[in-house]
Amino acid sequence: MTGSAGPAEPSPYGALVDPGFAALIAENRWLRDRLAHRHLLDLAAGVLAAQMRLSPADAADHLTALAHATGLTVGDLAADVVNGVADGDGALPVSDAVRSVPHPVEQRLARRTAAEAEAGSPGHEAARTLLRGGLAPFGADSLWLWRRADHGSLVLAGHAGVGAAEAAAWQWIPPATPEPLRSALAGDTPVWLENGPAVDEPLPGPTPRAARALLPLLRRGKPVGLALVGWPRPRTLDASVRRALVGLLEVASTVLDVDDPARPAAPVLVDVLDALAHPAMLLRTRGAAGEPAVEHLNDEAVAELGSRFHEEGPSLLRLFPLVHTDLARMTRRAAATARAQRAARLPAVAREGAPAPLLDVRVLAAGDDRAVVLWHTATEPGLAAARAADRLQSVAMFQDSLSGGDTFWSEQAYGVLGVERDQPPVPLLGLRGRVHPDDREAFTELLSTLTVRRAGAQTVLRITVPGGAVRHVRVAAEPLMTGETVTGIAGVYQDVSDSRRTEAVLTATFDHLTALHHQAETRHQLALQLQRAIVPEVPGFLELPGDLTVAVRYRPATEEYRVGGDWYDVLALPSGKILVAVGDIAGHGIDSVTGMVALRNAQRALAFTGEPPRRLMGWLNEVTLRTGGGTTATAVCALYDPEDHGLLWTSAGHLPMMLLRDGRARLLDPPQDVLLGAVPGFAYREQRMGLRPGDTLLLYTDGLVERRHAGLDEGLDRFAAEVERLADRAPERLVDELLATATGDTDDDTSLVAVRVG
C-alpha cells in the first residue's frame, strides 16, 4: 500500500512501538474501515439490484448517482437504503438497536456500526468497533466479550476501553463465577446493574458503583458467551437503552462465531498451529458418525496437500485416504489416555504427483474434544535420534514441570521404573519414597544441583519397584530455565541393574583371584574370562534369513598371558539385513579386552539404527576416540541384504575379506581408510557388490595369516591357496580345517567367520 491510508493514528503503546510498526497498525485499521464500508455498500447495491432488476454493477452506479442527487454521502445513503428495507418488509435482518433509534442520523450510525463489526475480525477489533460506533453514544466507556469454554469457564475473546493489566486479570473466569455473571449465563437474560454490583460480587470496572450491563451472547438459543458493558459512573438504563444494547450485542455473538461447526472453537490452538513451520491440523475427536473431523489445517499442511485440499475439502478420509484409519485410532487413544501418540512413518498421502509420506507423526490431546496432529515431510534429526534412543530398552526420557504442568515419560520409562502403563507418570520429586535409604543423600544432592545450583547432574540410585525388587537406575538430568527460574527438569532414566550385577560378579571374581595370585596374574585371568564370555571358543553355527549359513571360530592366543582384543559378530537386524563384522583391538591384556567389549557392544547397538556401514564405522571411530584411552583398532563391517543378495561393506584398516566363488578365491580390496581411533571426524567409504548362490565370504583377523619372518602378502597367498583346496567343504568343516592348517605363528588370537549364500 502507498499513501492512501491517511495519517497514522497515535499508537496506544506510545514510544514502545516502532514508528514503522505504528504506521502498519494505522494502515490495518484503515483497511478494516474500508472493508466495513464496502460491506455496507454491497448490501445497499444488492437491495437496489433486487428491487430495480439491475445488474450488480449498474446497481452500484445507481447508488452513487442517487447519493450525488440527494447531497448525501454514499455511505449514509447506503445505510438509509438498508434500514428502509429492513424496517419495511424484513427482507434484511435488522436488530432492535437500529429500530429503537428514532433519528435517521443515529439509525445510520447504528447500521454502519453493525456492518463494521460484521466485516471486522473476531475479538478485540470487533469489541473496539462495537464500543466506538454503537455503545459510546449511550455513554459506555468499556466492553468485555468472553467466550464460554469447556466446563462452563469463560475465556476473554475481546475487550475495548480496558487497560492491559485489568484485561490480564480477567483473561479467564472459572466455572464458579461471581453471582451476576452466573445469573446472566444461567438465565439467558441480561442483568442490569445501574449502581454497580454488590460489595461481595466483584466485576471489572473503574469504581464499585459504576453502572454495568451483563448480556448473554446467544446462538440458536444457546448461551455461548457473555458481554459486559461498563460506564464510568452510575447511570439509569431505561427501556430504550436496554433494547439498543441487546440489539447491538447480537452482532457480537455472530462476530465471535463461537458455535459455528465449520470454524475451530480453539482460536489459541489455531494461532499456535499457524505459527509452526511444518504441517499441522486440528481435529474434533467426535465428528460426524463418531469419526474425527478436520477443523483447521495450517498453511504448510494445505500447501503439502495441494490440489486435493481444494478439490475434496477438509475431510480426514478424503485428505488422507491411506492413513485416516491410523490417524483416527491415534486420535482416540490420545484423547482416552491424555498421552501423545507417535508414529515414525505413515504410508504416502494419496495426491497428484509424487506421494508424500507422513513422517514423525504425533497426535496430542487438546482438551476434552480436540486433538492436534503434527507431522513432517522430511525426517527431523532430533526426533530420529529420540526414536533411536527408544530402541535401547533400558533407556527412557522424562520431563517434569515445576510450575504446575504435567510430567511426561517416554514409553520405556514405565518398564524402567516398574509402573503400569495405565498409571500416571511420577515426577522425579515423587520418587523419593521409593529410593533406597542409603541413596537418599545422593538423591537430595541431585535435586539440589538441579534446582538450587541450576546445573546438570547424574547419579545412580537404588529404586524399589512394585513387588519389592530393587533396580539400579542411572538418572541424568538438566534443569529447564525460564530466565533465572528453574521451571522444569528434563532427563533420562537408564536401568543399569544388569551392568551393576556384572560389575558385582567381576568384582567378586577379581577379589577371589587376588587372594590366590599376584595382581598381574589376577588381571590376566579376569581379562581371559571376560574375553571368552564375549567371544566363545566353542564352534558356532548359524542359519540366518535369506538362506544364509554362517560358521564362526575363535582361537585364543597360544600363551594365556597374551589375551587379545579380537571380536566378531553376526546379527540379524529388525530391517531384515544381516550384520557381519570382525575387528581387532591393538595390544593385549585387560585394557584390550575391555576395549573390545565396548566396541563390540557399541557396534551392536548402533546397527539397530538402520544406518549404512560407513555411518556405523564413523560412529565406532568416535566411540574409540572417547572411550579407548588412546588405543586403536581395525575392523570390517558388512551388511548383507537377503532381498537382493547385495553386500554393502567398509573397512577401517583391516585385512581384506576373501570371496570364494566357483572354486576360485580372491581378495576384496578394501577402501584405504584409517584405523579406528586415529583421526576424529573421519568419513569412511563403503563398497557394494552382489553375492551369488554358492558364494562363500571369509572374514578373519591377522592371527590367521601373519608369520614372524615372512611378509603379509605371502601369508595371504598361502591362505587363498588353502581356501581353494578346501572349496568343496561345508562352512563348518571349512573353518575347522582352515584353523588347523593356519600358517600364522605370532601366538596371537584368531577369529574366522565364513558366510555362505545358499
Side-chain angles (χ1 to χ4, degrees):
M1 296 290 297
T2 57
S4 59
E9 297 181 19
S11 168
Y13 304 101
L16 294 177
V17 178
D18 181 86
F21 185 64
L24 288 176
I25 294 174
E27 183 176 338
N28 183 37
R29 289 177 178 168
W30 179 82
L31 288 172
R32 293 190 182 280
D33 290 341
R34 294 296 301 167
L35 179 62
H37 181 69
R38 184 73 261 167
H39 179 64
L40 183 58
L41 296 188
D42 288 343
L43 285 176
V47 171
L48 294 178
Q51 290 181 342
M52 304 178 68
R53 297 186 177 181
L54 298 174
S55 69
D58 291 339
D61 292 340
H62 187 65
L63 181 66
T64 303
L66 283 175
H68 288 308
T70 59
L72 296 173
T73 67
V74 178
D76 286 344
L77 181 60
D80 289 346
V81 171
V82 173
N83 287 337
V85 173
D87 288 334
D89 58 12
L92 289 177
V94 60
S95 70
D96 289 339
V98 177
R99 291 195 183 98
S100 64
V101 180
H103 195 280
V105 174
E106 294 180 353
Q107 286 186 349
R108 290 171 189 156
L109 177 61
R111 168 55 62 187
R112 296 178 101 169
T113 298
E116 186 176 351
E118 290 169 355
S121 64
H124 305 305
E125 188 68 29
R128 284 192 293 268
T129 299
L130 287 169
L131 178 63
R132 182 177 67 246
L135 300 176
F138 296 100
D141 66 348
S142 63
L143 173 63
W144 302 76
L145 298 176
W146 287 281
R147 175 182 287 109
R148 190 171 187 176
D150 293 337
H151 310 300
S153 61
L154 295 173
V155 178
L156 187 62
H159 60 80
V162 176
E166 189 176 14
W170 291 91
Q171 182 72 31
W172 179 77
I173 302 176
T177 58
E179 175 54 37
L181 298 175
R182 188 163 59 249
S183 297
L185 276 176
D188 299 347
T189 57
V191 176
W192 309 100
L193 305 171
E194 297 179 335
N195 294 300
V199 176
D200 58 347
E201 297 172 350
L203 286 177
T207 64
R209 309 312 301 169
R212 276 88 147 184
L214 295 167
L215 297 95
L217 303 178
L218 306 178
R219 287 292 302 279
R220 304 179 184 91
K222 177 183 176 182
V224 292
L226 187 69
L228 186 151
V229 182
W231 285 264
R233 60 188 62 85
R235 175 189 170 93
T236 300
L237 304 174
D238 59 27
S240 63
V241 173
R242 295 184 181 190
R243 283 197 305 272
L245 294 183
V246 170
L248 275 171
L249 288 170
E250 286 178 3
V251 177
S253 62
T254 303
V255 170
L256 289 179
D257 207 12
V258 291
D259 197 32
D260 187 346
R263 183 180 180 88
V268 175
L269 278 177
V270 170
D271 291 343
V272 171
L273 298 190
D274 286 344
L276 296 178
H278 55 78
M281 66 179 168
L282 180 65
L283 298 180
R284 185 185 292 273
T285 56
R286 291 180 293 276
E291 290 297 313
V294 178
E295 286 196 334
H296 178 74
L297 296 106
N298 67 0
D299 291 342
E300 284 69 23
V302 172
E304 187 61 33
L305 293 169
S307 61
R308 177 164 292 276
F309 171 77
H310 299 289
E311 294 170 2
E312 305 290 354
S315 163
L316 191 65
L317 173 60
R318 293 173 179 172
L319 292 177
F320 305 96
L322 299 183
V323 299
H324 76 279
T325 301
D326 299 288
L327 291 174
R329 173 180 49 78
M330 293 170 68
T331 299
R332 287 190 292 268
R333 185 176 297 173
T337 64
R339 291 207 297 266
Q341 303 298 307
R342 290 176 168 80
R345 186 181 189 277
L346 292 180
V349 177
R351 61 167 193 164
E352 294 181 5
L358 276 68
L359 304 174
D360 302 323
V361 181
R362 287 160 292 164
V363 180
L364 313 170
D368 294 338
D369 60 350
R370 282 176 175 77
V372 171
V373 181
L374 310 173
W375 75 93
H376 293 76
T377 55
T379 299
E380 182 71 20
L383 296 174
R387 288 199 304 275
D390 287 345
R391 293 181 183 274
L392 303 175
Q393 295 299 313
S394 61
V395 177
M397 293 180 291
F398 73 93
Q399 182 173 320
D400 295 343
S401 171
L402 301 182
S403 57
D406 294 332
T407 291
F408 166 78
W409 279 1
S410 66
E411 291 296 320
Q412 288 70 23
Y414 293 88
V416 170
L417 297 175
V419 176
E420 295 294 332
R421 295 183 183 272
D422 58 353
Q423 297 296 313
V426 180
L428 179 62
L429 294 172
L431 294 178
R432 181 183 296 275
R434 298 172 56 183
V435 174
H436 192 280
D438 292 345
D439 292 345
R440 287 178 183 169
E441 183 177 348
F443 181 72
T444 300
E445 177 64 20
L446 172 71
L447 296 178
S448 178
T449 301
L450 292 168
T451 59
V452 178
R453 291 190 285 276
R454 294 173 290 185
Q458 70 165 333
T459 189
V460 176
L461 304 171
R462 285 167 288 178
I463 293 180
T464 304
V465 301
V470 175
R471 292 182 182 172
H472 290 79
V473 178
R474 174 175 284 113
V475 183
E478 292 286 333
L480 301 178
M481 307 289 296
T482 301
E484 294 296 320
T485 303
V486 179
T487 58
I489 298 172
V492 173
Y493 294 128
Q494 182 183 17
D495 185 353
V496 295
S497 302
D498 289 344
S499 62
R500 283 303 174 105
R501 283 192 290 269
T502 301
E503 290 175 10
V505 170
L506 291 176
T507 301
T509 303
F510 184 84
D511 291 343
H512 176 69
L513 293 176
T514 300
L516 301 175
H517 303 285
H518 189 269
Q519 183 177 4
E521 178 63 15
T522 302
R523 286 174 57 85
H524 154 70
Q525 292 294 336
L526 183 60
L528 183 61
Q529 291 178 25
L530 184 59
Q531 182 188 51
R532 288 173 175 171
I534 299 300
V535 187
E537 297 179 54
V538 298
F541 173 73
L542 299 171
E543 291 184 349
L544 297 171
D547 202 14
L548 208 65
T549 301
V550 179
V552 295
R553 296 292 185 270
Y554 172 75
R555 183 178 65 187
T558 302
E559 299 181 49
E560 292 210 337
Y561 65 87
R562 289 178 56 82
V563 289
D566 280 11
W567 88 86
Y568 61 80
D569 208 357
V570 180
L571 182 64
L573 301 174
S575 63
K577 297 179 180 180
I578 310 298
L579 170 72
V580 183
V582 164
D584 186 5
I585 293 281
H588 298 84
I590 191 169
D591 291 335
S592 295
V593 174
T594 54
M596 173 267 291
V597 173
L599 290 187
R600 183 175 184 268
N601 289 342
Q603 185 180 59
R604 278 203 151 204
L606 292 170
F608 278 85
T609 64
E611 293 292 332
R614 60 182 177 81
R615 293 293 303 276
L616 300 183
M617 197 68 82
W619 288 335
L620 210 59
N621 180 51
E622 299 302 320
V623 172
T624 307
L625 286 165
R626 286 161 174 75
T627 64
T631 190
T632 59
T634 67
V636 60
C637 175
L639 283 179
Y640 174 73
D641 190 347
E643 293 290 332
D644 59 4
H645 301 290
L647 185 76
L648 194 62
W649 63 287
T650 187
S651 175
H654 199 77
L655 294 172
M657 296 187 294
M658 184 167 292
L659 176 66
L660 176 62
R661 174 177 289 172
D662 299 329
R664 303 291 297 174
R666 68 181 179 91
L667 297 173
L668 301 179
D669 291 332
Q672 302 299 313
D673 288 340
V674 301
L675 307 177
L676 297 175
V679 179
F682 187 82
Y684 289 85
R685 295 166 293 176
E686 59 189 15
Q687 295 184 1
R688 182 179 182 85
M689 66 173 296
L691 296 181
R692 304 173 187 171
D695 283 356
T696 300
L697 191 69
L698 294 166
L699 297 82
Y700 52 94
T701 55
D702 53 12
L704 190 68
V705 295
E706 283 187 347
R707 296 181 63 83
R708 290 188 178 89
H709 305 295
L712 181 60
D713 289 342
E714 294 179 26
L716 292 174
D717 290 341
R718 284 192 293 269
F719 179 51
E722 282 297 307
V723 170
E724 290 182 356
R725 184 179 68 84
L726 303 171
D728 61 342
R729 306 297 199 270
E732 288 182 279
R733 290 192 58 193
L734 176 64
V735 293
D736 285 335
E737 294 189 30
L738 284 174
L739 276 181
T741 59
T743 59
D745 64 354
T746 59
D747 297 329
D748 202 356
D749 52 346
T750 300
S751 295
L752 176 60
V753 179
V755 180
R756 177 164 296 174
V757 181

